[in-house]
Amino acid sequence: MFNRHAATAALLLLAPLALAAQPVPPAQMLERYRRAAAIQAQRKDGWLLNETIVPHWIPGTDQLWYARRTPTGRRYVVVDGPTGARSDLFDHDKLAAALTKATGTDGCEQGF
């Protein structure tokens, strides 16, 4: 048996989906692709950080270290295997300052 109320409710619920599914005009779609390409070109190497981490076990210990990419360079991290505790492998700011002093160039430009 036909339920008029159920049919009306279904129509009201599905109508927005039908409106949203209308095709986008080709010129508008082309403009969207151009905008996406421009955004991608600006962020060419910054989409994913640390998608792959390569662990380096420290001989004779239960620790490993790895390098992480950050928006400003690299951070080197040491991990204690049994506890999972993580910390910087060394003082990155102190190393950058020492490199700056020794070379006369900005140590931060080296990624530390």
Side-chain angles (χ1 to χ4, degrees), residues 24-90:
V24 176
Q28 188 177 1
M29 185 60 73
L30 182 60
E31 180 55 31
R32 288 180 183 179
Y33 274 100
R34 285 185 179 143
R35 276 194 332 229
I39 291 168
Q40 187 173 12
Q42 290 172 352
R43 299 192 60 189
K44 60 184 169 186
D45 292 326
W47 287 103
L48 295 174
L49 294 177
N50 307 306
E51 67 180 274
T52 303
I53 300 278
V54 179
H56 303 274
W57 288 97
I58 300 171
T61 72
D62 290 333
Q63 295 180 323
L64 63 93
W65 69 269
Y66 63 89
R68 291 183 58 240
R69 283 183 49 202
T70 69
T72 58
R74 291 190 183 272
R75 301 291 291 184
Y76 294 85
V77 179
V78 64
V79 179
D80 182 64
T83 65
R86 286 182 287 225
S87 62
D88 284 341
L89 184 59
F90 50 84

